[in-house]
Amino acid sequence: MKTEEIIELTSQYIIPSYRRIPVAFKEGRGIRLWDMEGKEYLDLIAGLAVNSLGYGHPKLIQTINEQAKLLIHTSNLFHIQPQVELAEKLSKLSLGGKVFFCNSGAEANEAAIKLTRRFGSQNGRYEIITMTGSFHGRTLTTIAATAQRKYQQGFEPLPEGFKYAVFNDLDSVKDLVAPTTCAIMTEVIQGEGGVNVGREDFIVGLRQVCDQYNLLLIMDEVQTGMARTGRMFVYEHYGITPDIITLAKGLAGGIPIGAMVAKRKISELLGPGTHASTFGGNFLSSRAALATLEVILGEDLIEKAQRLGNYLMERLTGLKGRYSFIKEVRGKGLMVGLELEIPGEKIVEKCFRRGLLINCTVEKVLRFLPPLTISKEEIDEAIQILDQAFREVKEE
Ligand SMILES: Cc1ncc(COP(=O)(O)O)c(C=O)c1O
């Protein structure tokens, strides 16, 4: 098929809930994609922080092939060996607790919210404090948790039980704590919200508030988890431990999976029959996640994300001196944002035409989420294209 035909069929048969760039890809290798007409692109979006190993990683491909031949799915009516192997690994790498598997970030957050309701219901509490600029998914409950009106409008009435504090303002959180509060839920770096990095005093302060009032601290690691920020989980940068983390995106290198890890004591609150997901943690997705984890650890991708993330930020900061419309470069590891004084869509479009894929969020923040396997030379290549795009905008 040609790109044009695919675009036409999209308009005929796909519910138009996405704004799409007019391209369809056929093939990928490393951090490069090729479209239907054979044009090459350097990909610094990685399926929105999903394809952490890049495209066609031999270990992931081999594992998926082997597992598909053996068994793809049985349901959670039965025990599943790769699921328990994965749970053990995630538990030991993070909170030392137990894991619930599902298929997406929103579903992982939904599980965290349900577990929190069970925790609070022991003493009549149900409210969760979330942050302005947050993003927790698109189900009805997760848009209620997401403190951004644009995701909620037209879908009211929303589920109750969320109060919104200001991200990076601890006093605004403290002001909202009430006898009905049972948890604080936050991203540590807000991705969709504009790559806003949680300040040390804020993140550490949230832990203290939770300890003081016996609240659960839920950290949404859907975008930041699995080595993206130069640690396996972003909270490790802050020397604190949350009570619940949620994961998805980079967990299985592109095979859909979500997970909630909860500290052991609270994890027992979701007993048999209280929560479920048909596909959650099936053979194929669990095996793909195990292979992804093996590559992350075996190829030192945590250290690489830190090192190359620093390099990417250094190169972007270098551009800042030359273009007055660049406001700030921020992020951790390979989750990087460049805030502009001008709309970012124009830049995204110009990069796209030159074969570079980047993303823009909250209108003015260019977001870089490359595969963790990216090299220094590939970063240089991307910076060169970005530089050309910036120069063109400057000259317009
Ligand atoms: C922090 C965060 N939480 C939750 C989600 C929702 O994940 P999903 O789209 O897999 O439901 C996202 C997606 O961008 C996210 O960035």
Side-chain angles (χ1 to χ4, degrees):
M1 264 193 211
K2 289 202 160 56
T3 301
E4 268 173 32
E5 286 173 78
I6 297 171
I7 292 174
E8 174 54 27
L9 287 171
T10 302
S11 73
Q12 278 186 46
Y13 294 111
I14 303 290
I15 289 180
S17 68
Y18 298 97
R19 217 172 284 120
R20 295 177 199 263
I21 295 172
V23 66
F25 296 110
K26 190 175 181 178
E27 214 183 316
R29 224 169 317 123
I31 81 150
R32 286 169 210 275
L33 283 167
W34 284 266
D35 71 11
M36 304 305 287
E37 283 74 34
K39 182 176 169 191
E40 187 178 311
Y41 295 82
L42 200 61
D43 178 15
L44 270 69
I45 303 177
L48 287 167
V50 169
N51 306 316
S52 295
L53 309 186
Y55 300 100
H57 193 288
K59 173 80 194 164
L60 183 60
I61 304 292
Q62 187 194 348
T63 303
I64 292 170
N65 276 329
E66 282 173 9
Q67 188 58 53
K69 277 188 214 149
L70 269 178
L71 198 51
I72 292 176
H73 176 87
T74 57
S75 90
N76 286 301
L77 290 174
F78 310 103
H79 294 273
I80 301 166
Q81 184 187 331
Q83 183 186 103
V84 296
E85 287 175 8
L86 177 60
E88 184 182 11
K89 288 212 157 69
L90 290 177
S91 166
K92 289 184 172 162
L93 284 166
S94 62
L95 314 177
K98 293 190 177 184
V99 187
F100 175 83
F101 287 106
C102 50
N103 312 285
S104 67
E107 219 188 323
N109 285 332
E110 187 82 29
I113 293 163
K114 282 183 73 177
L115 172 57
T116 302
R117 284 278 174 101
R118 282 259 153 166
F119 168 77
S121 69
Q122 296 169 326
N123 43 21
R125 301 185 296 163
Y126 63 95
E127 246 165 30
I128 301 177
I129 299 173
T130 64
M131 307 300 152
T132 51
S134 58
F135 185 83
H136 299 296
R138 299 289 200 133
T139 63
L140 210 49
T141 306
T142 53
I143 61 169
T146 294
Q148 296 197 61
R149 274 300 291 155
K150 67 179 178 190
Y151 295 113
Q152 302 172 341
Q153 257 155 3
F155 297 110
E156 297 89 353
L158 297 175
E160 287 180 51
F162 296 95
K163 276 194 177 159
Y164 309 134
V166 179
F167 188 66
N168 269 339
D169 178 348
L170 195 61
D171 286 339
S172 78
V173 176
K174 288 179 185 165
D175 286 348
L176 290 179
V177 177
T180 45
T181 311
C182 61
I184 296 173
M185 178 174 182
T186 192
E187 295 150 274
V188 173
I189 302 178
Q190 295 184 327
E192 301 298 309
V195 194
N196 305 314
V197 181
R199 281 206 326 262
E200 177 95 22
D201 59 325
F202 179 68
I203 299 299
V204 172
L206 290 181
R207 181 68 271 175
Q208 286 162 355
V209 172
C210 286
D211 290 342
Q212 188 179 349
Y213 296 100
N214 186 28
L215 314 177
L216 297 181
L217 181 58
I218 308 167
M219 289 193 161
D220 180 339
E221 293 255 11
V222 166
Q223 194 164 141
T224 50
M226 311 317 295
R228 169 66 43 197
T229 70
R231 296 282 189 281
M232 185 59 89
F233 306 107
V234 69
Y235 68 79
E236 295 171 33
H237 287 281
Y238 297 79
I240 53 116
T241 314
D243 301 297
I244 298 176
I245 56 170
T246 54
L247 303 168
K249 291 191 181 280
L251 184 51
I255 300 291
I257 190 169
M260 166 185 66
V261 188
K263 278 190 178 162
R264 194 159 289 268
K265 205 170 78 188
I266 50 170
S267 66
E268 304 296 335
L269 295 168
L270 286 180
T274 56
H275 197 46
S277 176
T278 299
F279 294 111
N282 78 9
F283 281 84
L284 191 71
S285 60
S286 298
R287 198 47 88 198
L290 282 164
T292 303
L293 203 48
E294 208 180 306
V295 175
I296 288 174
L297 295 171
E299 295 185 10
D300 287 332
L301 295 187
I302 300 179
E303 186 274 331
K304 204 174 169 199
Q306 181 70 57
R307 184 164 39 87
L308 291 206
N310 286 344
Y311 182 66
L312 174 60
M313 279 203 270
E314 205 179 283
R315 292 296 323 263
L316 290 171
T317 306
L319 293 178
K320 187 170 175 254
R322 306 226 314 276
Y323 300 102
S324 58
F325 51 74
I326 301 179
K327 195 170 165 192
E328 192 186 27
V329 177
R330 55 182 181 249
K332 278 191 194 294
L334 285 167
M335 181 170 181
V336 177
L338 182 150
E339 187 169 349
L340 297 161
E341 306 273 8
I342 55 170
E345 270 318 314
K346 236 186 344 191
I347 310 276
V348 170
E349 158 79 14
K350 287 182 192 300
C351 288
F352 169 67
R353 297 282 161 224
R354 290 177 163 83
L356 172 67
L357 303 174
I358 56 169
N359 171 250
C360 176
T361 186
V362 292
E363 287 166 24
K364 290 187 176 171
V365 180
L366 300 181
R367 187 167 46 155
F368 304 86
L369 298 163
L372 307 181
T373 51
I374 194 170
S375 68
K376 201 162 169 272
E377 292 71 31
E378 286 161 337
I379 290 178
D380 290 339
E381 199 180 327
I383 294 289
Q384 202 181 354
I385 299 174
L386 194 62
D387 192 9
Q388 288 166 4
F390 282 156
R391 201 175 318 139
E392 206 174 290
V393 168
K394 190 179 170 184
E395 284 162 7
E396 271 171 8

